[in-house]
Amino acid sequence: AQTVTQSQPEMSVQEAETVTLSCTYDTSESDYYLFWYKQPPSRQMILVIRQEAYKQQNATENRFSVNFQKAAKSFSLKISDSQLGDAAMYFCAYRSFTGTASKLTFGTGTRLQVTL
Amino acid sequence: GAVVSQHPSRVICKSGTSVKIECRSLDFQATTMFWYRQFPKQSLMLMATSNEGSKATYEQGVEKDKFLINHASLTLSTLTVTSAHPEDSSFYICSASRGLAYEQYFGPGTRLTVT
């Protein structure tokens, strides 16, 4: 079974600064998807960014980018120019590539605080 | 696009009663829906996967007779918590997908409190 580990329960960043959230995972599969989800106080899960394991290029979405190290099974999220609205729980998630096993496995989450 | 709604957003019920939570995909046909449970300050734990027109697949440790899931149409799945007890109090989140290989879109969640 796949596991996802987020070793930082809480992180803090000043507004306009950059922060990196860590995620490692364990799998025996060669093809899979990785995701970062944001859960603000409203509890609505919002997809931040996604990475296909077969792609060598790191995914980027505006201020959000990932550092995907397949051999190290590491998938960190970098948030640049942090904004107050970025404050939330961030969950790293894994999903198998094959259509018969598309369920998401979540990490334990990292609570991000953004300070003035 | 890809909006998923849940109803109710909050519900309080008495111990021993049953409560139903609805999950709807508003602008797409959801062949597959997922039900998650989230305890305070914890991650999402998958309870079951349901495919339209067939029986749900439950994760290990989830009682299928207690958490009844119905996915009778391509836009609606329901989770019924039967004979609820205080330990069932939690935040329940559904997600919907066009199919097993497609993106999951999450509903806003339902907070269940059993008194």
Side-chain angles (χ1 to χ4, degrees):
Chain A
Q2 295 81 22
T3 58
V4 178
T5 302
Q6 294 178 249
S7 59
Q8 306 156 314
E10 290 192 9
M11 292 284 285
S12 182
V13 62
Q14 281 194 319
E15 198 177 17
E17 296 297 307
T18 296
V19 65
T20 298
L21 308 184
S22 301
C23 173
T24 59
Y25 57 95
D26 188 26
T27 184
S28 59
E29 300 175 330
S30 58
D31 289 323
Y32 46 87
Y33 297 100
L34 294 166
F35 304 85
W36 277 98
Y37 283 92
K38 170 184 178 181
Q39 188 179 42
S42 68
R43 307 291 293 271
Q44 173 74 59
M45 294 290 285
I46 301 166
L47 177 64
V48 175
I49 200 165
R50 117 185 198 159
Q51 174 82 42
E52 290 88 346
Y54 64 86
K55 291 186 177 179
Q56 291 187 336
Q57 187 172 9
N58 289 323
T60 63
E61 280 292 336
N62 301 314
R63 299 183 293 107
F64 300 88
S65 62
V66 298
N67 183 1
F68 173 48
Q69 301 289 328
K70 191 173 184 180
K73 295 180 182 174
S74 170
F75 182 61
S76 61
L77 174 69
K78 186 171 83 171
I79 305 174
S80 303
D81 186 25
S82 297
Q83 300 175 359
L84 294 177
D86 295 333
M89 280 292 289
Y90 286 82
F91 292 99
C92 178
Y94 173 102
R95 197 186 94 193
S96 292
F97 189 78
T98 56
T100 57
S102 69
K103 62 183 182 182
L104 288 167
T105 300
F106 287 92
T108 51
T110 297
R111 181 170 300 281
L112 178 66
Q113 289 185 319
V114 181
T115 58
L116 293 171
Chain B
V3 178
V4 177
S5 70
Q6 276 184 248
H7 179 80
S9 57
R10 291 174 178 265
V11 59
I12 300 173
C13 71
K14 292 189 175 181
S15 188
T17 62
S18 296
V19 61
K20 181 185 288 187
I21 302 169
E22 293 185 347
C23 177
R24 293 182 185 272
S25 57
L26 299 184
D27 53 1
F28 68 100
Q29 293 188 325
T31 304
T32 306
M33 287 186 169
F34 303 83
W35 287 95
Y36 297 85
R37 184 172 181 176
Q38 186 179 29
F39 289 107
K41 298 186 179 182
Q42 293 190 24
S43 188
L44 281 72
M45 298 300 296
L46 180 66
M47 299 174 66
T49 303
S50 73
N51 290 296
E52 185 265 338
S54 61
K55 289 184 179 180
T57 302
Y58 290 82
E59 294 299 300
Q60 193 172 10
V62 177
E63 299 174 60
K64 62 180 181 181
D65 294 331
K66 179 169 186 61
F67 298 100
L68 301 179
I69 292 171
N70 183 280
H71 191 167
S73 79
L74 287 171
T75 59
L76 174 65
S77 176
T78 60
L79 167 67
T80 301
V81 183
T82 62
S83 187
H85 288 99
E87 57 265 31
D88 298 325
S89 299
S90 189
F91 194 68
Y92 292 87
I93 303 175
C94 74
S95 70
S97 171
R98 291 179 175 86
L100 286 174
Y102 291 87
E103 204 69 62
Q104 289 186 34
Y105 299 97
F106 286 84
T110 296
R111 179 173 300 286
L112 169 64
T113 302
V114 185
T115 60

